[in-house]
Amino acid sequence: DGKKVMDAETKIAVHEAECSLRYKAIEDRLDRGQKKMDRIKIQLNILLVAVLFGPGVAMDLVKRFLGVP
């Protein structure tokens, strides 16, 4: 019985280590996806300003956002 318990504990430890690696990979992909979504939101906001106020105003806002004189 002691060997079965040790085998079970080893399997659980291996399983937990594998899950930890998987969760880390998932978190990394979610972080990268969030950065992409942030860029898309900025682009959509610029497009919205361009449509509502014209491309000149949108360009001025982009320059101001980027710190370009």
Side-chain angles (χ1 to χ4, degrees), residues 24-68:
K24 176 67 175 137
I26 290 169
E27 286 176 1
D28 290 345
R29 289 198 324 232
L30 287 172
D31 287 342
R32 286 193 309 267
Q34 183 61 46
K35 289 176 186 173
K36 288 178 184 177
M37 290 303 294
D38 290 342
R39 284 194 306 265
I40 290 171
K41 282 196 285 187
I42 290 170
Q43 291 170 348
L44 285 174
N45 286 329
I46 291 169
L47 181 62
L48 177 65
V49 170
V51 168
L52 292 177
F53 301 108
V57 174
M59 195 58 176
D60 288 342
L61 288 174
V62 169
K63 287 179 181 178
R64 188 175 301 161
F65 179 73
L66 295 175
V68 177

